Amino acid sequence: MAASVPPGWPEQVRPMGAPDWEHTAVAWLFDLVPPDYRAHEVLRRYPVLLARLAGDHVAAGLEAARAGWRTVRVDLADHLPPDAIEAAVAAYEREGARLAAAARGVEVVAGALRGEVWVPRL
């Protein structure tokens, strides 16, 4: 990714200011939300709104992953073998990391869609 994008900028989104960068941002944001969101024309017309909904959706998923990570050992101890519990914890950790990165990406892409200009610091 080019040096002209803020930290956390998703690789799937062209750098702001590049031709059609907004289209790549919209496509990436739609990939973060349930497929049914694509039926809402208002989200295509107003990418800032799509970014808001994507941010809310990712935040809810991140909280769910964190809650699952905290409780899976106790909640399923009587139903799964120890190796399955540890695999579940690892899955929650991977998903949490993925969602945290997505949340940061939504934050910086949403800022760019709102016209915020990122200036690198020395």
Side-chain angles (χ1 to χ4, degrees), residues 30-109:
F30 270 124
D31 286 345
L32 295 176
V33 298
D36 291 347
Y37 281 38
R38 293 179 188 271
H40 302 288
E41 182 59 34
V42 68
L43 300 179
R44 291 184 193 286
R45 187 174 304 139
Y46 300 103
V48 171
L49 177 58
L50 173 59
R52 166 69 185 261
L53 291 173
D56 291 345
H57 184 75
V58 169
L62 181 56
E63 181 53 37
R66 288 174 175 162
W69 181 86
R70 285 191 306 267
T71 61
V72 70
R73 284 186 173 97
V74 172
D75 291 350
L76 297 179
D78 294 337
H79 305 285
L80 295 174
D83 62 319
I85 295 287
E86 292 312 310
V89 169
Y92 276 122
E93 288 171 350
R94 285 190 305 275
E95 187 61 8
R98 183 190 71 79
L99 288 166
R104 174 64 180 143
V106 170
E107 181 181 324
V108 295
V109 167

